[in-house]
Amino acid sequence: MRVETRLMLGDCREKLKEIPDNFIDLIFTSPPYADSRSNTYGGIKPDEYVEWFLPISKELLRVLKPTGTFILNIKEKVVNGERHTYVIELILEMRKQGWLWTEEFIWHKKNSYPGKWPNRFRDAWERLLQFNKQRHFHMYQEEVMIPMGSWADKRLKNLSHTDLVRDNSRVGSGFGKRVANWIGRNKVYPTNVLHLATETKNRNHSAVFPEDLPEWFIKLFTREGDWVLDPFMGSGTTNRVAQRMGRNSIGIEILPEYFALSQQSIQPVLEVPEQLMLLEEKEPYDAHPPE
Ligand SMILES: C[S@@+](CC[C@H](N)C(=O)[O-])C[C@H]1O[C@@H](n2cnc3c(N)ncnc32)[C@H](O)[C@@H]1O
């Protein structure tokens, strides 16, 4: 199978215009955070963040397929001792633009070391906001199922009366609350909390995210041959993972030195034998919290 990766050097506010309407299946990106990394690639002032982002999200809405998904990795910074509200404001404005705010995933940074400030503890999680164009979008939930784990042996051995009786009154999971439905199964659906270590090799970029992060969302929201977009590509993590997984992708990066990093590690066109792609399936991701 032929996998295409288009890397674009430039400002995504301009470069996005080159992408056709309704073309992309998954947008996965981590934009520059407000002001926080101004030494490396110019921050945007927290008070101006929403105004800066909205023309970009408008273009993203145009290029995304109706069945597609936009995952935005973002976290508000602390300004004058309190959390700034630009992420909350951005969600409200994007809804006015036509986006549905479908879900919020949490990336728990497993390897975050302890720390303390006078009024807060070390920040060990980030948001991944999920936006869609419509209520019905492609989602391949079986692709991210996880091993049931040892809790099941204990839990399923001693089932109560309630466990054996289906109770659909409050949950819409399809399984209801009938715990007995899980007997004989060895995989379960994960939660919306991902326990992943942060990237320790920085690949000459100060804000690289771990490959497991885009990989999980690419599995969940796309199939081989689909198109993935990262408009703030950085060192090209999203695109490299997309290519390895047989997805076509587009990446946009404004700084030539980061663009060069992606170019070094990603081929524009890759012929991947179908059998090789099957062999590259990794061990299932461990979504259980650390002990
Ligand atoms: C948080 S980093 C992304 C890191 C990336 N996820 C990785 O793993 O390497 C954001 C990137 O967006 C780039 N950037 C900032 N403004 C941009 C713009 N207007 N258009 C395209 N890229 C931009 C920055 O240079 C930076 O490399």
Side-chain angles (χ1 to χ4, degrees), residues 18-279:
E18 295 175 23
I19 303 175
D21 295 357
N22 305 318
F23 185 73
I24 299 290
D25 297 279
L26 172 67
I27 301 165
F28 188 88
T29 201
S30 172
Y33 291 1
D35 234 1
S36 57
R37 298 184 190 271
S38 46
N39 302 339
T40 47
Y41 46 74
I44 297 99
K45 291 204 171 63
D47 285 340
E48 293 166 11
Y49 202 83
V50 175
E51 197 187 332
W52 171 77
F53 198 82
L54 283 178
I56 298 170
S57 55
K58 191 172 169 213
E59 275 299 287
L60 298 178
L61 188 66
R62 181 185 65 75
V63 301
L64 189 68
K65 284 183 188 164
T67 49
T69 289
F70 173 22
I71 300 289
L72 179 61
N73 173 212
I74 196 164
K75 179 86 185 247
E76 51 281 88
K77 66 172 294 196
V78 173
V79 182
N80 297 331
E82 62 169 338
R83 288 278 173 198
H84 199 282
T85 54
Y86 59 85
V87 176
I88 298 166
E89 288 159 36
L90 182 62
I91 294 169
L92 296 176
E93 290 303 317
M94 283 178 63
R95 290 187 71 247
K96 287 184 202 158
Q97 230 173 18
W99 289 101
L100 302 180
W101 179 30
T102 312
E103 178 57 307
E104 176 172 61
F105 293 86
I106 296 297
W107 166 23
H108 162 219
K109 299 174 177 181
K110 276 206 299 194
N111 57 342
S112 180
Y113 47 90
K116 181 190 168 299
W117 284 258
N119 55 354
R120 67 190 71 247
F121 296 121
R122 176 167 290 280
D123 201 354
W125 64 274
E126 286 191 23
R127 294 195 155 84
L128 291 124
L129 301 172
Q130 179 187 342
F131 296 98
N132 293 93
K133 285 173 97 157
Q134 58 183 38
R135 278 187 63 178
H136 299 287
F137 49 86
H138 291 317
M139 190 180 193
Y140 309 104
Q141 300 191 358
E142 277 64 29
E143 299 298 321
V144 294
M145 287 183 95
I146 50 173
M148 180 104 98
S150 56
W151 73 268
D153 300 335
K154 288 182 219 146
R155 182 73 179 86
L156 297 178
K157 245 183 218 160
N158 301 306
L159 295 180
S160 67
H161 176 71
T162 334
D163 291 335
L164 296 163
V165 178
R166 183 180 272 273
D167 172 8
N168 275 325
S169 53
R170 275 167 294 166
V171 289
S173 68
F175 273 105
K177 284 180 66 188
R178 192 167 174 265
V179 178
N181 278 325
W182 296 102
I183 294 175
R185 289 170 193 271
N186 53 13
K187 282 195 175 177
V188 289
Y189 295 102
T191 67
N192 56 6
V193 180
L194 286 90
H195 306 277
L196 296 176
T198 51
E199 182 61 63
T200 42
K201 310 167 264 184
N202 86 357
R203 289 202 217 95
N204 298 322
H205 190 290
S206 58
V208 171
F209 48 45
E211 292 202 350
D212 286 350
L213 196 63
E215 180 176 315
W216 194 83
F217 288 95
I218 290 171
K219 263 192 214 160
L220 182 57
F221 291 115
T222 67
R223 287 196 160 142
E224 282 169 16
D226 280 357
W227 280 90
V228 176
L229 165 68
D230 188 341
F232 299 99
M233 174 172 69
S235 62
T237 313
T238 306
N239 302 82
R240 201 166 32 253
V241 173
Q243 185 172 74
R244 163 161 67 69
M245 295 172 70
R247 273 69 167 175
N248 301 301
S249 73
I250 299 177
I252 309 173
E253 171 56 47
I254 201 166
L255 289 187
E257 58 267 40
Y258 295 151
F259 178 77
L261 288 177
S262 311
Q263 267 193 323
Q264 282 159 18
S265 61
I266 303 172
Q267 296 172 44
V269 176
L270 196 67
E271 295 290 343
V272 187
E274 312 258 331
Q275 277 182 330
L276 187 66
M277 289 178 56
L278 289 175
L279 287 175

